[in-house]
Structure formats: structure tokens, C-alpha cells
Amino acid sequence: MSIEKLHVEVVKGINGLDKVVLRESRGSSAEIYMYGAHVTSWKNDNGEELLFVSNKAIFKPPKAIRGGIPICFPQFSSHGSLDQHGFARNRVWSIDSDPPPFPTSSASKAFVDLILKPSEDDLKIWPHSFEFRLRITLGPGGDLMMTSRIRNTNTDGKPFTFTFAYHTYFSVSDISEVRVEGLETLDYLDNLQNKERFTEQGDAITFESEVDKIYLSTPTKIAILDHEKKRTYVIRKDGLPDAVVWNPWDKRAKAIVDLGDDEYKHMLCVEAAAVEKPITLKPGEEWRGRQEISTVPSSYCSGQLDPRKVLGS
């Protein structure tokens, strides 16, 4: 087996769909379905799954996969005229064998470059020509990096505007024991209250009921502390000013066909996003949005972890 194949391999996944498997020598791994360029697994060096994918997820186009990291483009949620979350997560992407130069500091060999261009049908519902390039990298320390580069390739001189999110579903031990830090005191739009604007009052975000909020002008680092697992997820983001926090809770979970009734307890979406101020690209212009997720051990119940130190690191 070649060195490259040890790090990057294309295999058949559920229902015969193609997926790319990334592996790092210390034991971490990631799996990406070509359908949707959808990350469905991210495991640490011990083989523990860090992303949530529903047991009821439907791996069958045109249905989007429930869980992992769906990509919302060219529209987040219902912020526009397209179907919910746009169409990038419902399309089969290709491996980009000759991507343009990519300034990267990572020495990792475990990465894949994917590309999406619009089909004739896509152009009917969203009449803009684009190239969406996505690099997904598994770093030597097991961190997962996703860099999106979206270019306007219109030949008619027209700009286009889009919203975007990495809709990341993190696996958590118990949603009631989880807290999110880095978003306190910020303004947010509450999707449960007609996108009305409020200011976050708590010193950390905890969960006792359904939450669907878009936090605005967020810092480049956000932490999710999982008390039971003594694990903290750290999200670092660039080019993505907003952060969506979502958990459907019990009533809404029962209404979601491809989500188990009690699965909401073991998932939390914290999404690096650009929603409030849509991005506009003129022909030839390129936008870049990057997310890096990693984990650090934590035990904040015993006061060993100062979240400000984690966020400042």
C-alpha cells in the first residue's frame, strides 16, 4: 500500500456512495462523502467519534445526510428563495486533481481537494456560474480543517450574493451538561422569535430547551465544554463572522423524520457562518471561509480549565 493511500483513500460507503477516508499516523481519521462533500466522521487518536450522525440518517440522494458537517451554500436556512440550506449539500462533488496554489501551513498528507460547479438544473434555480473548491485536511494532531474557496465565474458581468455555514453537529455526552463559551454578551438573531435581535445575558450558553440562534460579530474562537467527557471542542474560524447555535430539543426532534426522538440529547450544532451580512462577489472575485475544529482535555468542574486560556491559546 502506498504512503498516499495510507493517508487518503476513496472507498464505497453506505448505499454504494463514494467516500474519501483520511487517516493520520497517530490514529485520527475523517470520512467525507462525495455526495454533499459531507464530512460524516471525525475520530480522535483513540478512535472516539467526535461528530454526531443520526442513526436514522438517510444516505440516499436527494435527501441531505442528517449530522456530520453539511455545507450550506448558496443559502443558509430559509434566508432566501432556495430550498432550506441551498443545494451544495445535495450535489455530488468531484475530486479536484489540479487545485490552484493553496497557501497552507499544515504539513499533513491527509487532505482532499473537492470541487463543485453548477449543473444546468442548478443554473435554473440559481442563475450564477461559480466554482466552489473545498479542501478538507486532517492535521497531525487530529484537528480537522475545512477551507472553502468560492469564485464567481459569471461571464455576463453580474455579481452574486450568498450566505454560508459549516453546519457542524458535535457529538456530546448529554446536552444538559454542555456549555458554550465565547459568545456571551453578543447580539443574536433568534430564529424561534422571527429572527428578532437580542443580547446574550448569560456568562456561558447552557441548554434547557430548544435553541436556534445566530450570534453576530463573533470571535474567531469558540469553545464547547462537555462536562461528562471532560472534553472541550475548540472552533477556530476565519471569514465567517457569525455562529449559529442549534439544538431541536424533544418536541422538534420528534417532528424530524431522520432524527431519533432522543438523539437531541447527544448532539449540538455550533456553526461557523456568514448569514447576517451576505457575501457579494463580482466576476473573478473569490471568497474564502475556513473552520478548524480540535479538542483539548478539560475538567472545568474542578477548576483546572480556564476557558479564557483555551480561547486565548
Side-chain angles (χ1 to χ4, degrees), residues 117-292:
K117 295 179 184 181
S119 67
E120 292 297 316
D121 288 342
D122 295 338
L123 291 167
K124 285 175 190 160
I125 59 169
W126 200 65
H128 302 292
S129 185
F130 66 88
E131 288 177 354
F132 185 153
R133 286 185 156 86
L134 173 66
R135 174 170 286 193
I136 302 170
T137 304
L138 190 63
D143 46 335
L144 186 71
M145 289 164 277
M146 302 177 71
T147 305
S148 291
R149 299 190 286 177
I150 296 168
R151 182 177 290 278
N152 180 339
T153 54
N154 277 338
T155 53
D156 57 9
K158 287 184 180 164
F160 63 65
T161 297
F162 63 91
T163 48
F164 181 93
Y166 292 115
H167 195 321
T168 311
Y169 286 73
F170 291 94
S171 172
V172 297
S173 50
D174 178 352
I175 187 65
S176 307
E177 298 286 325
V178 169
R179 50 194 274 164
V180 176
E181 303 196 348
L183 302 175
E184 47 283 352
T185 75
L186 298 181
D187 284 4
Y188 63 87
L189 308 176
D190 194 333
N191 287 324
L192 302 179
Q193 302 196 49
N194 296 319
K195 303 185 178 76
E196 215 177 305
R197 192 179 184 119
F198 299 94
T199 302
E200 183 58 55
Q201 302 298 329
D203 59 353
I205 298 162
T206 53
F207 301 90
E208 297 162 352
S209 59
E210 184 181 356
V211 174
D212 190 355
K213 296 174 178 178
I214 303 167
Y215 288 84
L216 311 173
S217 303
T218 58
T220 55
K221 291 176 191 169
I222 301 165
I224 304 167
L225 289 78
D226 188 337
H227 174 57
E228 216 168 283
K229 286 252 168 78
K230 296 186 169 50
R231 173 190 295 147
T232 294
Y233 294 103
V234 181
I235 303 163
R236 293 177 173 83
K237 58 192 181 61
D238 193 37
L240 297 157
D242 305 324
V244 181
V245 178
W246 179 65
N247 182 288
W249 220 254
D250 53 351
K251 284 197 182 74
R252 175 105 173 82
K254 285 187 173 71
I256 300 173
V257 177
D258 54 350
L259 186 69
D261 289 357
D262 290 327
E263 286 190 317
Y264 75 91
K265 294 175 182 173
H266 307 296
M267 57 156 278
L268 173 62
C269 288
V270 179
E271 312 166 31
V275 178
E276 189 202 16
K277 294 172 183 155
I279 291 138
T280 299
L281 292 179
K282 295 180 188 137
E285 283 188 332
E286 183 178 88
W287 169 84
R288 181 175 300 197
R290 180 174 172 276
Q291 139 172 309
E292 179 181 342

